[in-house]
Every structure is written in structure tokens, then in C-alpha cells.
């Protein structure tokens, strides 16, 4: 679907900082291919419980698509704090950045997403169909693609829980509740108490 689309300079949707670092191609923004492929991704996200638990999404920016080959790369940058959909009033605060890998990692060399945090660099190159979520405030870059072609979808979301630490703790608690529920059943007193704690913390921290 996207291969047959119109691919243009990746700076079509760049902010000022990104434009200085970005060297890739992008599926034309607003095109039919972008909309159709983006709708498939949006539907899949709704069926992914780990994504919902980790992101607690409030608003999701419609997915965009890019590709890298022939040494193309994206230098170090931080994503814009606010993203607005061109020609509309839709805007989000970018709490999380999302990269969905669409090419077999063995089909290209380079193209790692490198995310810098307090614990050093995290280098990410996933199987086609796998996605990584990371704080949009992170400094990150994509290494040059020296063989083959790296194809991916990327987008941002505004979470119901703005704070990254709070969101992480809720995710850990949710995972523990799900594990204990499978082991003990939903009527177990510990499971019930932890479930109550999860929802009360979410009520305390969430904006809707």
C-alpha cells in the first residue's frame, strides 16, 4: 500500500531543529496511501493491550511513514513538544514517540534508532511489525542506512498521564495485577486491593 504511494523529502513535516538533522524520504503527508495505512495501524493499536497499558493514550497523532537508504540518516534531535495536524485544529502534546518497524531487520544495515537517556544509549532495531515507545523528550537519532532500505511508521501521542515516572509505575502495577489475576483469580483479596490501588492512582494522575 505505501510502496505505491508518493514519496517526498522527509522535511515536509519537520520542525526547525529536525530540518537541520533530517535526511530521509516520507510518504506524502495527507495522501490516500498515508491515510489508509495509518488507519490500519490505529485499528491494530486498539487491539494491543500492552500498548494501551503502557501509553494510556488520550490522543494519537495520525501515523506518518518514512524510509532510509543510500546512507540516509536522521541526526540527534528532540521531537516538538506540540504537534498540530496541518489544516485542522487537532493538536497534541507529544508525551510519547512511537516507531513501528516495517522492514525485516536483516534486509538493511544500519538504521538503528538510538535513544539517549540517563542510563546511556538504547539502540533499537526491531522485527517488522514490532514497535517501540519512548519519551518524546528523549534525544534520539537514526544511524545511516548503508545497505537495503529501512521503512517505518512514526507518530506521537498524548497520554492521559503526563509524567513518565507515574506512567511507568502504573504500567508495572497493571502488569502485576494481570499476572496475579491469571494465577489467583479476580476474587483474590490481594488482586482486588492492587486493582483498587491502580484505579485510584489513575484517577489521581490522569487527565481526560
Amino acid at each position: 500500500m505505501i510502496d505505491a504511494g508518493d514519496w517526498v523529502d522527509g522535511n515536509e513535516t519537520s520542525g526547525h531543529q529536525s530540518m537541520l538533522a533530517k535526511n530521509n524520504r516520507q510518504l506524502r503527508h495527507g495522501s490516500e496511501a498515508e491515510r489508509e495505512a495509518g488507519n490500519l495501524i490505529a485499528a491494530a493499536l486498539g487491539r494491543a493491550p500492552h500498548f494501551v497499558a503502557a501509553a494510556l493514550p488520550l490522543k494519537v497523532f495520525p501515523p506518518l511513514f518514512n524510509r532510509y537508504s543510500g546512507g540516509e540518516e536522521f541526526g540527534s534531535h528532540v521531537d516538538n513538544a506540540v504537534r498540530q495536524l496541518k489544516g485542522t485544529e487537532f493538536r497534541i502534546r507529544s508525551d510519547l514517540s512511537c516507531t513501528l518497524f516495517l522492514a525485516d531487520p536483516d534486509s538493511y544495515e544500519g538504521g538503528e534508532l538510538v535513544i539517549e537517556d540517563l542510563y546511556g544509549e538504547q539502540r533499537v532495531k526491531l522485527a517488522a511489525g514490532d514497535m517501540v515507545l519512548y519519551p518524546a523528550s528523549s534525544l534520539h537519532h537514526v544511524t545511516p542506512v548503508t545497505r537495503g532500505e529501512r521503512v517505518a511508521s512514526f507518530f506521537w501521542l498524548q497520554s492521559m498521564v503526563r509524567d513518565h515516572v507515574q506512567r511507568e509505575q502504573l504500567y508495572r502495577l497493571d502488569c502485576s495485577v494481570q499476572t496475579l489475576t491469571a494465577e489467583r483469580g479476580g476474587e483474590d483479596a490481594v488482586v482486588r486491593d492492587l486493582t483498587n490501588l491502580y484505579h485510584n492512582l489513575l484517577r489521581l494522575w490522569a487527565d481526560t
Side-chain angles (χ1 to χ4, degrees), residues 50-64:
H50 278 296
F51 165 77
V52 175
L56 295 171
L58 178 62
K59 293 190 287 186
V60 180
F61 196 89
L64 306 175

Side-chain angles (χ1 to χ4, degrees), residues 53-146:
L56 295 171
L58 178 62
K59 293 190 287 186
V60 180
F61 196 89
L64 306 175
F65 299 83
N66 60 21
R67 52 181 28 167
Y68 298 76
S69 64
E72 291 175 326
E73 61 182 316
F74 199 160
S76 292
H77 65 285
V78 171
D79 291 335
N80 289 355
V82 176
R83 306 291 311 198
Q84 181 160 356
L85 190 59
K86 187 176 181 180
T88 75
E89 296 184 357
F90 179 82
R91 67 168 62 90
I92 67 167
R93 181 189 66 237
S94 58
D95 295 324
L96 286 167
S97 296
C98 314
T99 297
L100 170 63
F101 290 80
L102 298 175
D104 184 335
D106 292 333
S107 69
Y108 63 96
E109 291 181 359
E112 294 177 303
L113 172 64
V114 182
I115 306 164
E116 300 178 32
D117 61 24
L118 294 175
Y119 306 102
E121 291 186 346
Q122 310 296 320
R123 305 181 74 89
V124 184
K125 185 176 179 179
L126 302 178
D130 286 351
M131 185 173 74
V132 59
L133 295 173
Y134 57 98
S137 57
S138 302
L139 188 66
H140 57 282
H141 66 275
V142 176
T143 63
V145 173
T146 57

